[in-house]
Amino acid sequence: RIDQAALARFMEEGDFERHINRMRKVYRRKQEKVRAMLVPYGSEIHVRGDSAGFYLLLEIETGLGEAELCRRAAEAGLRVYGLSAYMPSADPGPRSPAVLLGFAGVEEENLERAVRALLECWGFPPIE
């Protein structure tokens, strides 16, 4: 098939590997930017997922539950996903509410605005 032949050529000529390396740099930059923006909130937002390329796991200690964090984000036009949706039904024991924050689909120039909006909807003071 034509699409398979095009993909094979893309890979044979090294374009696929160059694309993957370029995208790793983009996602690393995005992740570093998000992590840096969350540093001032380190006592209330614990960031996990250093090796994850497309998302970060945020454990949030504000008194808000996971469902409320997700609801507020949705009302602000943002999507985060509660960690409990990905866990087995067994009781994980006590833990802070946690959400998955994906950033792969957010353009770099919009990333700061999106993180600021998320923090605001969760009741955090603005980043100075």
Side-chain angles (χ1 to χ4, degrees), residues 47-64:
V47 181
R48 309 282 187 253
D50 292 8
S51 61
F54 305 124
Y55 66 89
L56 292 170
L57 174 66
L58 307 180
E59 293 177 347
I60 303 167
E61 298 177 18
T62 62
L64 298 175

PDB file of all heavy atoms in Angstrom, residues 47-64:
ATOM      1  N   VAL A  47       4.656  17.313  42.407  1.00  0.00           N
ATOM      2  CA  VAL A  47       4.734  16.892  41.009  1.00  0.00           C
ATOM      3  C   VAL A  47       5.456  15.555  40.922  1.00  0.00           C
ATOM      4  O   VAL A  47       6.543  15.391  41.459  1.00  0.00           O
ATOM      5  CB  VAL A  47       5.469  17.948  40.155  1.00  0.00           C
ATOM      6  CG1 VAL A  47       5.520  17.515  38.694  1.00  0.00           C
ATOM      7  CG2 VAL A  47       4.806  19.308  40.301  1.00  0.00           C
ATOM      8  N   ARG A  48       4.850  14.635  40.221  1.00  0.00           N
ATOM      9  CA  ARG A  48       5.439  13.319  39.981  1.00  0.00           C
ATOM     10  C   ARG A  48       5.482  13.096  38.464  1.00  0.00           C
ATOM     11  O   ARG A  48       4.753  13.714  37.725  1.00  0.00           O
ATOM     12  CB  ARG A  48       4.599  12.211  40.616  1.00  0.00           C
ATOM     13  CG  ARG A  48       4.247  12.433  42.074  1.00  0.00           C
ATOM     14  CD  ARG A  48       5.426  12.110  42.981  1.00  0.00           C
ATOM     15  NE  ARG A  48       5.010  12.170  44.367  1.00  0.00           N
ATOM     16  CZ  ARG A  48       5.349  13.148  45.199  1.00  0.00           C
ATOM     17  NH1 ARG A  48       6.102  14.129  44.787  1.00  0.00           N
ATOM     18  NH2 ARG A  48       4.950  13.138  46.436  1.00  0.00           N
ATOM     19  N   GLY A  49       6.335  12.190  38.031  1.00  0.00           N
ATOM     20  CA  GLY A  49       6.361  11.820  36.618  1.00  0.00           C
ATOM     21  C   GLY A  49       7.514  12.426  35.863  1.00  0.00           C
ATOM     22  O   GLY A  49       7.324  12.912  34.756  1.00  0.00           O
ATOM     23  N   ASP A  50       8.680  12.409  36.452  1.00  0.00           N
ATOM     24  CA  ASP A  50       9.855  12.995  35.801  1.00  0.00           C
ATOM     25  C   ASP A  50      10.148  12.376  34.444  1.00  0.00           C
ATOM     26  O   ASP A  50      10.625  13.053  33.544  1.00  0.00           O
ATOM     27  CB  ASP A  50      11.101  12.819  36.684  1.00  0.00           C
ATOM     28  CG  ASP A  50      11.016  13.657  37.942  1.00  0.00           C
ATOM     29  OD1 ASP A  50       9.951  14.238  38.208  1.00  0.00           O
ATOM     30  OD2 ASP A  50      12.028  13.739  38.652  1.00  0.00           O
ATOM     31  N   SER A  51       9.876  11.095  34.300  1.00  0.00           N
ATOM     32  CA  SER A  51      10.235  10.437  33.051  1.00  0.00           C
ATOM     33  C   SER A  51       9.060  10.346  32.076  1.00  0.00           C
ATOM     34  O   SER A  51       9.215   9.833  30.986  1.00  0.00           O
ATOM     35  CB  SER A  51      10.774   9.035  33.347  1.00  0.00           C
ATOM     36  OG  SER A  51       9.779   8.268  33.999  1.00  0.00           O
ATOM     37  N   ALA A  52       7.902  10.851  32.481  1.00  0.00           N
ATOM     38  CA  ALA A  52       6.744  10.825  31.589  1.00  0.00           C
ATOM     39  C   ALA A  52       6.885  11.954  30.578  1.00  0.00           C
ATOM     40  O   ALA A  52       7.190  13.076  30.930  1.00  0.00           O
ATOM     41  CB  ALA A  52       5.458  10.985  32.400  1.00  0.00           C
ATOM     42  N   GLY A  53       6.669  11.652  29.336  1.00  0.00           N
ATOM     43  CA  GLY A  53       6.888  12.652  28.301  1.00  0.00           C
ATOM     44  C   GLY A  53       5.726  13.571  28.016  1.00  0.00           C
ATOM     45  O   GLY A  53       5.902  14.699  27.601  1.00  0.00           O
ATOM     46  N   PHE A  54       4.498  13.126  28.249  1.00  0.00           N
ATOM     47  CA  PHE A  54       3.329  13.879  27.829  1.00  0.00           C
ATOM     48  C   PHE A  54       2.475  14.417  28.971  1.00  0.00           C
ATOM     49  O   PHE A  54       1.520  15.138  28.732  1.00  0.00           O
ATOM     50  CB  PHE A  54       2.418  13.017  26.956  1.00  0.00           C
ATOM     51  CG  PHE A  54       3.113  12.425  25.775  1.00  0.00           C
ATOM     52  CD1 PHE A  54       3.111  11.058  25.579  1.00  0.00           C
ATOM     53  CD2 PHE A  54       3.760  13.225  24.854  1.00  0.00           C
ATOM     54  CE1 PHE A  54       3.742  10.495  24.477  1.00  0.00           C
ATOM     55  CE2 PHE A  54       4.384  12.675  23.745  1.00  0.00           C
ATOM     56  CZ  PHE A  54       4.376  11.307  23.565  1.00  0.00           C
ATOM     57  N   TYR A  55       2.769  14.035  30.191  1.00  0.00           N
ATOM     58  CA  TYR A  55       1.927  14.445  31.309  1.00  0.00           C
ATOM     59  C   TYR A  55       2.733  14.455  32.598  1.00  0.00           C
ATOM     60  O   TYR A  55       3.832  13.923  32.679  1.00  0.00           O
ATOM     61  CB  TYR A  55       0.719  13.506  31.453  1.00  0.00           C
ATOM     62  CG  TYR A  55       1.121  12.103  31.847  1.00  0.00           C
ATOM     63  CD1 TYR A  55       1.232  11.745  33.184  1.00  0.00           C
ATOM     64  CD2 TYR A  55       1.414  11.141  30.896  1.00  0.00           C
ATOM     65  CE1 TYR A  55       1.627  10.473  33.550  1.00  0.00           C
ATOM     66  CE2 TYR A  55       1.812   9.867  31.248  1.00  0.00           C
ATOM     67  CZ  TYR A  55       1.913   9.544  32.585  1.00  0.00           C
ATOM     68  OH  TYR A  55       2.321   8.290  32.950  1.00  0.00           O
ATOM     69  N   LEU A  56       2.126  15.068  33.613  1.00  0.00           N
ATOM     70  CA  LEU A  56       2.665  15.039  34.966  1.00  0.00           C
ATOM     71  C   LEU A  56       1.545  14.596  35.895  1.00  0.00           C
ATOM     72  O   LEU A  56       0.370  14.867  35.640  1.00  0.00           O
ATOM     73  CB  LEU A  56       3.156  16.424  35.399  1.00  0.00           C
ATOM     74  CG  LEU A  56       4.380  16.958  34.678  1.00  0.00           C
ATOM     75  CD1 LEU A  56       4.595  18.424  35.021  1.00  0.00           C
ATOM     76  CD2 LEU A  56       5.615  16.143  35.044  1.00  0.00           C
ATOM     77  N   LEU A  57       1.901  13.939  36.957  1.00  0.00           N
ATOM     78  CA  LEU A  57       0.955  13.572  37.993  1.00  0.00           C
ATOM     79  C   LEU A  57       1.079  14.621  39.093  1.00  0.00           C
ATOM     80  O   LEU A  57       2.180  14.870  39.594  1.00  0.00           O
ATOM     81  CB  LEU A  57       1.270  12.181  38.547  1.00  0.00           C
ATOM     82  CG  LEU A  57       0.430  11.740  39.740  1.00  0.00           C
ATOM     83  CD1 LEU A  57      -1.026  11.562  39.324  1.00  0.00           C
ATOM     84  CD2 LEU A  57       0.969  10.447  40.314  1.00  0.00           C
ATOM     85  N   LEU A  58      -0.028  15.255  39.431  1.00  0.00           N
ATOM     86  CA  LEU A  58      -0.027  16.275  40.470  1.00  0.00           C
ATOM     87  C   LEU A  58      -0.807  15.768  41.671  1.00  0.00           C
ATOM     88  O   LEU A  58      -1.994  15.439  41.547  1.00  0.00           O
ATOM     89  CB  LEU A  58      -0.681  17.568  39.971  1.00  0.00           C
ATOM     90  CG  LEU A  58      -0.152  18.175  38.674  1.00  0.00           C
ATOM     91  CD1 LEU A  58      -0.921  19.452  38.348  1.00  0.00           C
ATOM     92  CD2 LEU A  58       1.330  18.446  38.778  1.00  0.00           C
ATOM     93  N   GLU A  59      -0.139  15.682  42.821  1.00  0.00           N
ATOM     94  CA  GLU A  59      -0.822  15.392  44.075  1.00  0.00           C
ATOM     95  C   GLU A  59      -1.089  16.740  44.719  1.00  0.00           C
ATOM     96  O   GLU A  59      -0.163  17.527  44.937  1.00  0.00           O
ATOM     97  CB  GLU A  59       0.046  14.515  44.971  1.00  0.00           C
ATOM     98  CG  GLU A  59       0.244  13.129  44.409  1.00  0.00           C
ATOM     99  CD  GLU A  59       1.177  12.276  45.264  1.00  0.00           C
ATOM    100  OE1 GLU A  59       1.862  12.826  46.155  1.00  0.00           O
ATOM    101  OE2 GLU A  59       1.216  11.068  45.040  1.00  0.00           O
ATOM    102  N   ILE A  60      -2.354  17.002  45.017  1.00  0.00           N
ATOM    103  CA  ILE A  60      -2.755  18.342  45.415  1.00  0.00           C
ATOM    104  C   ILE A  60      -3.349  18.325  46.819  1.00  0.00           C
ATOM    105  O   ILE A  60      -4.300  17.588  47.092  1.00  0.00           O
ATOM    106  CB  ILE A  60      -3.762  18.905  44.394  1.00  0.00           C
ATOM    107  CG1 ILE A  60      -3.105  18.867  43.017  1.00  0.00           C
ATOM    108  CG2 ILE A  60      -4.194  20.308  44.771  1.00  0.00           C
ATOM    109  CD1 ILE A  60      -4.016  19.080  41.887  1.00  0.00           C
ATOM    110  N   GLU A  61      -2.784  19.153  47.683  1.00  0.00           N
ATOM    111  CA  GLU A  61      -3.228  19.230  49.081  1.00  0.00           C
ATOM    112  C   GLU A  61      -3.833  20.606  49.352  1.00  0.00           C
ATOM    113  O   GLU A  61      -3.160  21.500  49.858  1.00  0.00           O
ATOM    114  CB  GLU A  61      -2.044  18.975  50.005  1.00  0.00           C
ATOM    115  CG  GLU A  61      -1.450  17.590  49.832  1.00  0.00           C
ATOM    116  CD  GLU A  61      -0.234  17.359  50.708  1.00  0.00           C
ATOM    117  OE1 GLU A  61      -0.040  18.112  51.679  1.00  0.00           O
ATOM    118  OE2 GLU A  61       0.513  16.416  50.410  1.00  0.00           O
ATOM    119  N   THR A  62      -5.106  20.749  48.969  1.00  0.00           N
ATOM    120  CA  THR A  62      -5.792  22.027  49.186  1.00  0.00           C
ATOM    121  C   THR A  62      -7.089  21.855  49.955  1.00  0.00           C
ATOM    122  O   THR A  62      -7.754  22.830  50.237  1.00  0.00           O
ATOM    123  CB  THR A  62      -6.131  22.691  47.841  1.00  0.00           C
ATOM    124  OG1 THR A  62      -7.020  21.825  47.138  1.00  0.00           O
ATOM    125  CG2 THR A  62      -4.904  22.997  47.026  1.00  0.00           C
ATOM    126  N   GLY A  63      -7.460  20.625  50.224  1.00  0.00           N
ATOM    127  CA  GLY A  63      -8.756  20.371  50.834  1.00  0.00           C
ATOM    128  C   GLY A  63      -9.827  20.053  49.801  1.00  0.00           C
ATOM    129  O   GLY A  63     -10.922  19.634  50.149  1.00  0.00           O
ATOM    130  N   LEU A  64      -9.534  20.270  48.530  1.00  0.00           N
ATOM    131  CA  LEU A  64     -10.469  19.923  47.465  1.00  0.00           C
ATOM    132  C   LEU A  64     -10.276  18.462  47.082  1.00  0.00           C
ATOM    133  O   LEU A  64      -9.143  17.974  47.030  1.00  0.00           O
ATOM    134  CB  LEU A  64     -10.231  20.798  46.226  1.00  0.00           C
ATOM    135  CG  LEU A  64     -10.437  22.293  46.387  1.00  0.00           C
ATOM    136  CD1 LEU A  64     -10.032  23.020  45.106  1.00  0.00           C
ATOM    137  CD2 LEU A  64     -11.865  22.613  46.768  1.00  0.00           C
TER     138      LEU A  64
END
